[in-house]
Amino acid sequence: MGNKINPNGFRLGITRGWNSRWYAGKKTYAKLLAEDEKIRNLVGKQLAAAGLARIEIERAGQQVNVIISAAKPGIVIGKGGDSIKKLRTDIEKLVSAGTVAVNVAEIPNPNTSAPLVALRIAEQIERRFAFRRAMKQAAQRVMESGARGVKVVLAGRLGGAEQARSEKVLEGRVPLHTLRADIDYGTALARTSYGIIGIKVLVFNGEIIGGKTETVQRPARPGAERRPEGGERPNRRRPTARRRTGGE
């Protein structure tokens, strides 16, 4: 898979589902698509501090169901449910017809959610953290949380440099071409005084086989030597012959 292909769109219908689940004809499709975009912008603006990972929209008849996956569901609900009631009222103003229901889902492990990892790196860069340190710490937290691999890519005027460039950190393995690989993908923007820095995070959680995510141990290649228990590679160098001199 090339770097210009979105990992989520590449796996739609295979290991991932659609964030918008509804059907419409030619006359109403564009209108409903614009409504979905307005709903996502509204939720992202009002609940920026809740750690939003995913916003799903379902439509069935005159019912619009908005599912918000967040790391801090308490901020979404608010004290006594005030925040979620206000959010439902604002969404109803954007919807042309039908009733609106807002559901909240908690992210069990925020450290393995790529959008949340990207948001955390963006917050650190905006607070003038060293970008290399932020990348390495984020990758280390992801690996310690049980992920099989993580890839973090930053692009822009890193460190306030005059020329934009990109830096990346790779831990474990991230098989981009494997369709059954459970790869979570997220992006974020760090708005600094010297420009905007783009952040991409890819988290590999294992391979999905039979509807379950599990790690697959691939067999070793025939003839390949196994590494000993101490972790050292076998010495494959041939002994060098001593150079003879005239005095011997």
Side-chain angles (χ1 to χ4, degrees):
M1 186 189 74
N3 292 328
K4 294 178 286 297
I5 302 297
N6 190 299
N8 294 335
F10 189 56
R11 291 169 175 81
L12 277 179
I14 301 173
T15 58
R16 296 187 64 88
W18 284 259
N19 290 334
S20 293
R21 294 183 288 272
W22 45 266
Y23 176 80
K26 295 182 179 179
K27 295 182 179 179
T28 58
Y29 181 86
K31 182 180 179 181
L32 296 181
L33 185 63
E35 286 183 4
D36 284 7
E37 189 67 19
K38 292 178 182 178
I39 290 172
R40 287 193 170 89
N41 292 336
L42 175 66
V43 174
K45 185 177 180 180
Q46 290 191 4
L47 304 176
L52 300 177
R54 188 169 55 255
I55 302 172
E56 300 172 276
I57 300 175
E58 296 178 348
R59 296 174 186 265
Q62 297 297 320
Q63 178 73 21
V64 180
N65 187 18
V66 181
I67 305 171
I68 302 173
S69 300
K72 302 174 183 177
I75 298 178
V76 180
I77 298 172
K79 187 176 181 180
D82 295 338
S83 298
I84 198 169
K85 290 179 182 177
K86 182 179 182 301
L87 180 64
R88 186 187 300 113
T89 304
D90 294 340
I91 293 176
E92 288 177 350
K93 296 178 182 178
L94 301 177
V95 177
S96 57
T99 58
V100 177
V102 179
N103 298 323
V104 183
E106 184 179 3
I107 301 296
N109 192 353
N111 288 330
T112 57
S113 177
L116 298 181
V117 175
L119 285 175
R120 181 180 295 180
I121 296 174
E123 292 174 358
Q124 291 178 341
I125 292 176
E126 289 175 352
R127 288 183 292 175
R128 298 181 181 276
F129 275 47
F131 68 92
R132 285 194 184 91
R133 183 179 179 184
M135 293 169 64
K136 292 180 180 178
Q137 287 182 350
Q140 185 178 2
R141 281 193 299 265
V142 172
M143 295 300 292
E144 290 176 353
S145 299
R148 306 301 301 174
V150 58
K151 182 178 180 182
V152 182
V153 183
L154 268 66
R157 294 184 59 188
L158 302 178
E162 290 294 329
Q163 187 174 2
R165 68 182 192 277
S166 62
E167 295 272 348
K168 72 176 180 179
V169 171
L170 178 63
E171 295 285 344
R173 53 185 290 262
V174 183
L176 299 181
H177 288 77
T178 307
L179 288 175
R180 65 186 178 188
D182 183 12
I183 294 181
D184 194 14
Y185 174 70
T187 60
L189 295 177
R191 293 175 172 83
T192 64
S193 58
Y194 44 82
I196 295 178
I197 294 177
I199 303 163
K200 292 181 181 180
V201 178
L202 296 96
V203 178
F204 174 50
N205 295 313
E207 294 187 0
I208 299 177
I209 299 176
K212 297 181 180 179
T213 303
E214 57 184 27
T215 304
V216 178
Q217 298 292 340
R218 299 189 180 274
R221 292 178 298 174
E225 298 181 14
R226 293 187 177 181
R227 191 179 299 185
E229 295 181 358
E232 299 179 356
R233 294 182 180 271
N235 188 7
R236 300 180 180 178
R237 294 184 179 179
R238 297 180 180 177
T240 56
R242 294 182 180 179
R243 183 178 299 177
R244 295 184 179 181
T245 60
E248 292 183 357

